[in-house]
Amino acid sequence: MAAQEEDRDTAALDYPIVVGEELLGAIAGFVRGRVAPCLVLCDADANVVKLARQIAAAAGSKRVLPFVLGESRKRMATLERVLDAMHEADAERETLVLGVGGGVASDLFGLAAATYMRGVAYAHVATSLVAMVDAAIGGKTGVNLRGGKNLCGVFRDPAAVFCEVAALATLPDRALREGLAEVVKAGVIEGGELFENLETLSPHPFSRWPWVEVIRAAIRVKAAAVAEDPLESGARARLNLGHTFAHAVERASRYRVAHGTAVAIGLRAAGELALRTGRFSEREHLRVLALLALFGLPLQTAVDPDAIFAAMRADKKRRGGQLRFVLPRAIGDVEYGVTCSARTVRAVVARLGRPP
Ligand SMILES: NC(=O)c1ccc[n+]([C@@H]2O[C@H](COP(=O)([O-])OP(=O)(O)OC[C@H]3O[C@@H](n4cnc5c(N)ncnc54)[C@H](O)[C@@H]3O)[C@@H](O)[C@H]2O)c1
Ligand SMILES: [Zn+2]
């Protein structure tokens, strides 16, 4: 299948990223090529477990360890449980750990593999859109601490990433839309064909979308930014478009607002801040809002604007007194490291409870 032949179309990174439907054969080939024991860790969702068992059977692995995950379980206690289970399953230095699941699985299992016996090889089979276009790509792993999201983790590249597009058929609609917020973000960063294709696709039911193409295009945006700046000291920051606001909305809501939803609101806020500071045109801003709305993503939030602003200030304190934004100058041209006056930021946040 063409989808598998082109596994290097994201060649900006040093590991294969395979995007396609029915990847069992490709995954089994990769595992067998390593002539090492393989241990499969997966999210405990029934559909994901079923896929993980098929993968294990195809790859000749006897062990599948399912874990109940979710954002509230992406923390140290679960990490310890995973590490203990790996040990009980006789994982050794040469073991290849194969994680199956969404973004929580890739962050958590990736960190477990990076730290077990000071690091064993890890490959991820992404089953959610967020994991395919974002979480599983780029080598960031982590868990949350009481004080905030992803505060503990390491950068460590996977040995391979497989985006099993067929898995999207069972992904809840809400989770799919969460992923689309990140795809729209990639579209605003990249512009051109990616953004226009999303506009063309938006009226069609998800079942008719050319997902392999869409996912590949979004991965290319992420992979290019990561390749340029793997440890996020500069250019990778542009992937944080909308995220300064989004993280504040998530924190202020005590994580009741999911990440993708917060990203949609953050994209609106970044657009408005860019508009107010004379960077962005109203016409393009409205195009971005229209696309988010067509994907059923919310553009406003009931979270108290004062709490959002306070969360942003707390973030600013931690980052040495400067709050930096990624702002669009045009669809396809974003600027990072932008500082803005607190008054202007506050004015933007104050409006987030109302329609744009
Ligand atoms: N490391 C990074 O660079 C990075 C980037 C973006 C997001 N993330 C992280 O990713 C996480 C969000 O990822 P997510 O949205 O995939 O959440 P998730 O992993 O919790 O998955 C969402 C839900 O879908 C279920 N699920 C997954 N695949 C399924 C399938 N094929 N069929 C049915 N159900 C399925 C899961 O059980 C879960 O209930 C956050 O913790 C975020 O911080 C990390
Ligand atoms: Zn994000």
Side-chain angles (χ1 to χ4, degrees):
M1 178 201 268
Q4 285 155 40
E5 281 154 25
E6 249 188 87
D7 66 350
R8 284 256 163 200
D9 67 354
T10 43
L13 298 173
D14 291 337
Y15 44 91
I17 300 171
V18 186
V19 184
E21 295 201 34
E22 313 296 347
L23 294 180
L24 273 189
I27 300 167
F30 169 79
V31 172
R32 292 227 166 88
R34 299 183 66 97
V35 271
C38 168
L39 177 64
V40 179
L41 309 178
C42 70
D43 181 300
D45 171 86
N47 298 292
V48 178
V49 174
K50 190 172 159 208
L51 174 66
R53 292 200 194 288
Q54 289 167 348
I55 290 170
S61 162
K62 291 190 185 61
R63 304 302 299 264
V64 177
L65 305 177
F67 295 89
V68 176
L69 301 178
E71 192 64 38
S72 64
R73 291 195 176 79
K74 194 177 117 176
R75 56 190 165 99
M76 287 300 208
T78 318
L79 178 67
E80 187 175 13
R81 214 159 338 115
V82 173
L83 290 167
D84 281 334
M86 287 167 72
H87 182 64
E88 277 153 31
D90 299 323
E92 42 188 89
R93 280 209 88 90
E94 292 69 34
T95 301
L96 165 71
V97 175
L98 196 57
V100 187
V104 170
S106 72
D107 276 5
L108 183 78
F109 297 153
L111 180 57
T115 48
Y116 184 74
M117 294 183 88
R118 301 194 178 82
V120 297
Y122 183 74
H124 192 76
V125 181
T127 63
S128 76
L129 187 57
V130 170
M132 293 181 199
V133 299
D134 203 345
I137 315 291
K140 274 199 206 174
T141 69
V143 291
N144 305 329
L145 299 183
R146 235 167 265 131
K149 250 180 89 100
N150 302 328
L151 289 181
C152 168
V154 300
F155 282 97
R156 192 155 185 276
D157 280 345
V161 177
F162 298 91
C163 299
E164 178 47 271
V165 177
L168 295 181
T170 59
L171 189 70
D173 204 59
R174 183 196 46 76
L176 194 67
R177 289 177 202 279
E178 299 279 323
L180 277 178
E182 301 283 7
V183 176
V184 173
K185 177 197 78 179
V188 177
I189 294 171
E190 180 70 10
E193 224 179 290
L194 174 54
F195 195 87
E196 284 160 22
N197 280 347
L198 292 172
E199 288 182 316
T200 319
L201 286 170
S202 57
H204 297 284
F206 290 141
S207 57
R208 299 249 193 87
W209 279 38
W211 282 108
V212 171
E213 244 173 72
V214 171
I215 290 163
R216 276 206 188 126
I219 290 176
R220 246 177 256 132
V221 175
K222 174 140 193 190
V226 170
E228 202 178 318
D229 171 27
L231 301 181
E232 200 170 318
S233 44
R236 185 170 178 164
R238 62 181 186 266
L239 297 171
N240 289 332
L241 176 66
H243 279 59
T244 309
F245 291 102
H247 288 149
V249 169
E250 283 180 272
R251 276 194 69 191
S253 76
R254 296 177 194 274
Y255 301 101
R256 276 191 277 268
V257 174
H259 183 67
T261 304
V263 169
I265 294 159
L267 289 174
R268 168 194 169 179
E272 283 184 5
L273 187 54
L275 205 59
R276 276 175 188 258
T277 52
R279 287 180 165 76
F280 198 32
S281 77
E282 178 148 32
R283 196 179 65 84
E284 296 220 304
H285 178 53
L286 293 176
R287 250 178 102 186
V288 176
L289 295 183
L291 191 56
L292 291 166
L294 280 165
F295 292 157
L297 286 157
L299 300 174
Q300 61 190 87
T301 176
V303 179
D304 174 22
D306 288 337
I308 298 173
F309 194 65
M312 291 178 90
R313 286 176 94 102
D315 211 30
K316 170 174 153 183
K317 214 164 125 200
R318 212 174 24 240
R319 283 162 207 264
Q322 284 291 8
L323 202 51
R324 294 184 186 279
F325 295 89
V326 185
L327 297 182
R329 280 189 289 233
I331 293 172
D333 178 15
V334 301
E335 184 180 358
Y336 61 87
V338 183
T339 54
C340 296
S341 79
R343 231 178 102 234
T344 315
V345 175
R346 191 175 202 133
V348 167
V349 171
R351 295 196 64 245
L352 293 178
R354 284 176 266 150

